[in-house]
Amino acid sequence: MSILPKKNDLGFFEIRLESIGGLGANLAGKMLAEAGVLGLGLNGSNFSSYGSEKKGSPVKSFIRFCDAEVEIRDHSPIEQPHIIGIFHEALYKTVDVVSGLIPDGIVLVNSTRDFKDVKSDLQLSYGTLAIVDALGIAVEERTKVNTAMLGALFRICDFLDPESMRNVIRKTFEKKYPHLVEPNIRTFDRGYNEVQFKTFEAPADAIGKSFSRPQPLLGYETQALGGVITAQGNSILKDLSGSRQGYLPGLNLEDCIHCASCDTVCPDFCFVWEEGEDKRGRKQMFLQGIDYQYCKGCLKCVEACPTTALNELRETIGYSEVHQVKQNFPLIAGGVS
């Protein structure tokens, strides 16, 4: 008798993890697959998909399980998953994270917000929504987000044995990093115990989310001859907020001495300045604020600040939009704005 709770037409139970580089979704997918294959004797596979292999870029991790007598000959990306794990809320802005979800599927989100707000952002009509503050747990235990998400995923995939994952954590860290064994086990256990669920019943005629495969804007039929980028300074149109891993710099202008130490170390031109005069009438540049559109949350500015003007903040939805001071670029998109 199969222990898998559901199967698709090919006999697979499928999971898709949506994340950004640096949060450990690739490793989490591998560990999930190993737990089912080595711990329970299931057949399983795992692989990840990403573009540029760098911190902050979108990452997808795919996990398939099936019964031992079923062979896995399908290695295509998972388009209609039973479970989706979302490691970073900022992905809502650029990626259709619930694309292809079956009507009674489960979505796990790393968030501190309530079910109503998350459900609205995901445009989720029915299914089960699970929420866990994986980042908060990781910060308190000084570990990583993926371990807390793994704990929540094991709670969702109740056919998996959580003790097998605790043993994997022990074997992974006990030789080289023995001091990380207990914090990671605590992180896993907290993710397992602290995840919360809410189910929105699907009607009998419910259909799943349609799957959309994103296509490149410029292909062999639409690319300009020679591959020339005709608009100068086009990188100013990019939004780097999806690269942040939960933290951003907060600015208190009352404590700022306008020394520009923050601007010196900032790699992404985030700080907005304006020319003015000091108390003696001398011309000087004064800091006006931060353009969070370009902020990747590296927090180098916080380390460099000699005062208490900059501090590390846990990012909340809407904070960057409310406190953003936009850069003024007079020449954009090939003309004058």
Side-chain angles (χ1 to χ4, degrees):
M1 183 177 177
S2 176
I3 63 171
L4 294 173
K6 299 174 186 174
K7 301 177 189 176
N8 61 15
D9 294 339
L10 297 176
F12 299 141
F13 181 82
E14 297 182 327
I15 303 170
R16 187 174 75 223
L17 306 181
E18 302 273 1
S19 183
I20 62 172
L23 293 183
N26 182 30
L27 178 60
K30 289 180 180 178
M31 296 174 79
L32 261 180
E34 288 179 9
V37 173
L38 301 179
L40 297 174
L42 297 169
N43 274 348
S45 68
N46 158 255
F47 64 97
S48 296
S49 172
Y50 39 79
S52 54
E53 192 173 354
K54 65 180 182 180
K55 191 174 183 178
S57 58
V59 173
K60 296 179 186 290
S61 184
F62 308 104
I63 305 99
R64 281 189 173 94
F65 290 120
C66 61
D67 295 322
E69 64 272 12
V70 178
E71 293 187 15
I72 298 180
R73 296 182 177 179
D74 183 0
H75 299 286
S76 61
I78 293 173
E79 298 184 350
Q80 291 182 302
H82 297 90
I83 297 174
I84 294 176
I86 303 171
F87 282 52
H88 197 310
E89 284 190 284
L91 285 167
Y92 301 171
K93 299 178 181 178
T94 56
V95 179
D96 185 3
V97 288
V98 295
S99 175
L101 181 69
I102 63 174
D104 56 347
I106 302 174
V107 182
L108 170 66
V109 184
N110 171 21
S111 178
T112 58
R113 296 187 298 153
D114 59 33
F115 288 99
K116 181 180 178 182
D117 292 337
V118 176
K119 178 176 179 285
S120 175
D121 281 352
L122 292 176
Q123 298 181 5
L124 197 66
S125 300
Y126 29 72
T128 298
L129 181 58
I131 295 178
V132 63
D133 182 13
L135 178 60
I137 294 172
V139 169
E140 291 175 11
E141 300 293 347
R142 298 186 179 183
T143 52
K144 297 290 185 181
V145 167
N146 60 345
T147 310
M149 290 293 285
L150 268 173
L153 286 166
F154 265 72
R155 178 75 174 274
I156 294 169
C157 301
D158 54 6
F159 60 91
L160 296 176
D161 180 14
E163 187 57 37
S164 65
M165 182 51 61
R166 296 185 188 100
N167 291 332
V168 170
I169 292 172
R170 291 187 184 97
K171 291 178 181 178
T172 302
F173 294 108
E174 63 185 359
K175 289 186 178 180
K176 290 187 176 180
Y177 310 102
H179 61 287
L180 295 180
V181 173
E182 290 307 316
N184 274 279
I185 290 178
R186 285 198 305 270
T187 301
F188 176 82
D189 288 343
R190 287 187 61 182
Y192 186 91
N193 293 319
E194 294 179 21
V195 61
Q196 297 181 334
F197 301 88
K198 190 167 185 178
T199 299
F200 306 92
E201 295 296 335
D205 58 347
I207 58 174
K209 292 277 187 180
S210 60
F211 180 81
S212 59
R213 186 178 292 110
Q215 301 295 327
L217 296 178
L218 297 176
Y220 72 95
E221 291 182 338
T222 55
Q223 174 67 53
L225 291 176
V228 177
I229 299 176
T230 57
Q232 74 275 21
N234 59 84
S235 63
I236 68 174
L237 303 177
K238 293 184 177 180
D239 188 342
L240 300 181
S241 61
S243 300
R244 295 196 287 268
Q245 297 188 27
Y247 286 88
L248 45 65
L251 176 61
N252 179 13
L253 277 175
E254 293 181 357
D255 295 339
C256 182
I257 58 175
H258 309 284
C259 65
S261 295
C262 53
D263 199 48
T264 302
V265 299
C266 178
D268 293 299
F269 205 53
C270 299
F271 292 90
V272 182
W273 298 83
E274 186 176 274
E275 185 177 324
E277 294 183 352
D278 63 14
K279 295 179 180 179
R280 298 182 180 180
R282 297 173 298 186
K283 288 190 179 297
Q284 182 179 330
M285 299 299 290
F286 292 91
L287 181 62
Q288 302 300 304
I290 302 173
D291 192 340
Y292 288 108
Q293 175 181 336
Y294 308 112
C295 179
K296 295 185 296 189
C298 67
L299 301 180
K300 292 180 179 178
C301 56
V302 177
E303 297 176 7
C305 182
T307 70
T308 57
L310 287 167
N311 54 85
E312 177 182 314
L313 290 180
R314 172 81 184 267
E315 184 172 8
T316 55
I317 298 296
Y319 178 90
S320 59
E321 288 80 5
V322 171
H323 295 85
Q324 179 183 22
V325 176
K326 285 187 170 292
Q327 293 278 13
N328 178 30
F329 298 106
L331 299 173
I332 58 172
V336 178
S337 63

